[in-house]
Amino acid sequence: MSNCVTARPKGITGTGLKVFAAVCMLCDHIHYFFGYTGWIPEWFSMVGRLAAPIFLFCLVEGFCHTHDRRRYFLKILGIAVPMGLLLFFMRYAGFLVRPDGFYPQNSMMSTFVLLLGFFQALSMLGSRNPKRMLAGGALLLFFLSWPFLASWCTVRFPASATILGVLGYTVLPMVNLTGDLGLPLLITGIALYLTRKHRVVQAITLALCYFGWYFVLIYLQVRGLPGFSFVQMFTTYYEWIGGVLAAPLLLWYNGERGAGYGKFFYLFYPAHIYGLYALSWLLMPVLRLN
């Protein structure tokens, strides 16, 4: 029997990346939910900017390496649906809205649902089977046209507005221009999938997507505002920093899954959001007095 010990690959595992991203996200959401106190420093939110690009990368890795894509999709959908339904009732019925009118608008899981649909469509388009290619094209066309189709149905058949709204918040999320379901995150996720076979190119793509959308385009929009200073691109409009700083971590990734802790990460997202929200509501009378 050999006494040799197999050396572990250098770098960080997928689990390590997720743990790091989860800590960053927790910092961001502490700032998000307790911002009304004025006590949480802005750097909590700055650190949190690294979470989304890392989780997008991990989603691509998960989709490409899972043994059961359907099960992987259903797990994420199973979290996205109740969270989306709750968000719908908070937004349109005032259900469980904090006294100051604030409520959590986090919908990252819905973003993942939509991205997995795009990934599957692109995967089918890349096959050599004509039937799969045709089905992939139809699926891609549906995801791209669904927001316009839903809007048309709402105008044409007003009675369908509620059910279409619920669908858009749950099982059939729609592309938006901003927020968790914003176009930038979706474009970045798709770009990471398309460059998945070339890690250096993938890291550069991540940095360019974030810098182009969140620095260049934002700068062009805000440079004419009264009192604007270029320094604000680092202190106020700092979303771009997350993608640029996260890019080197993709190169540090060693391709190993790690310990996994799948159930923990699936539950952590909704648990920490609603836990922090409830705590911020419960402590609001005391923290505001101080």
Side-chain angles (χ1 to χ4, degrees):
M1 182 180 294
S2 174
N3 293 323
C4 296
V5 177
T6 303
R8 293 183 179 180
K10 294 182 179 180
I12 189 170
T13 65
T15 301
L17 277 176
K18 290 178 183 178
V19 169
F20 177 78
V23 172
C24 292
M25 183 169 61
L26 181 61
C27 289
D28 183 34
H29 289 158
I30 289 174
H31 182 273
Y32 179 61
F33 288 108
F34 291 91
Y36 66 84
T37 66
W39 299 347
I40 312 300
E42 191 69 24
W43 65 262
F44 269 58
S45 184
M46 291 181 175
V47 169
R49 299 305 91 190
L50 279 81
I54 294 175
F55 277 127
L56 287 178
F57 169 74
C58 291
L59 183 74
V60 172
E61 286 294 293
F63 175 81
C64 293
H65 295 106
T66 183
H67 296 295
D68 190 338
R69 288 182 178 177
R70 180 176 298 179
R71 184 183 179 192
Y72 185 59
F73 173 79
L74 290 176
K75 283 182 179 179
I76 294 177
L77 183 68
I79 300 172
V81 168
M83 290 189 70
L85 191 62
L86 182 55
L87 175 58
F88 179 84
F89 284 110
M90 284 179 169
R91 180 167 294 173
Y92 296 107
F95 180 67
L96 291 178
V97 173
R98 215 166 61 182
D100 60 350
F102 176 90
Y103 57 92
Q105 302 188 49
N106 311 81
S107 54
M108 184 60 76
M109 285 297 176
S110 293
T111 303
F112 288 176
V113 167
L114 195 52
L115 277 172
L116 289 175
F118 278 114
F119 295 168
Q120 182 61 30
L122 292 171
S123 175
M124 295 167 73
L125 279 171
S127 71
R128 296 182 179 181
N129 186 318
K131 290 184 178 180
R132 281 182 59 81
M133 293 176 66
L134 183 62
L139 185 61
L140 184 63
L141 180 62
F142 171 75
F143 281 122
L144 292 174
S145 62
W146 163 238
F148 304 100
L149 177 62
S151 298
W152 179 84
C153 288
T154 300
V155 174
R156 185 70 177 81
F157 309 102
S160 68
T162 300
I163 185 62
L164 288 173
V166 171
L167 287 174
Y169 276 80
T170 54
V171 296
L172 290 173
M174 302 181 193
V175 180
N176 297 318
L177 293 178
T178 59
D180 283 351
L181 267 169
L183 195 58
L185 285 180
L186 294 170
I187 290 176
T188 302
I190 292 171
L192 289 176
Y193 175 78
L194 294 176
T195 56
R196 66 193 181 280
K197 295 181 180 180
H198 307 280
R199 188 59 48 76
V200 174
V201 175
Q202 194 180 37
I204 293 173
T205 298
L206 173 62
L208 289 177
C209 283
Y210 263 73
F211 186 78
W213 193 283
Y214 291 112
F215 186 96
V216 176
L217 292 182
I218 294 297
Y219 174 72
L220 292 176
Q221 294 176 37
V222 302
R223 62 180 177 173
L225 295 178
F228 172 76
S229 169
F230 188 75
V231 176
Q232 289 179 277
M233 296 305 301
F234 299 86
T235 59
T236 303
Y237 309 102
Y238 50 76
E239 186 80 28
W240 64 275
I241 296 177
V244 172
L245 293 183
L249 294 176
L250 273 59
L251 302 178
W252 193 26
Y253 172 57
N254 61 19
E256 296 290 320
R257 177 174 179 266
Y261 304 130
K263 291 182 180 179
F264 168 78
F265 290 112
Y266 283 121
L267 295 176
F268 175 76
Y269 184 71
H272 91 280
I273 284 177
Y274 297 125
L276 288 174
Y277 179 54
L279 191 61
S280 72
W281 191 341
L282 181 65
L283 296 179
M284 178 174 281
V286 177
L287 295 178
R288 278 199 159 179
L289 286 176
N290 294 331

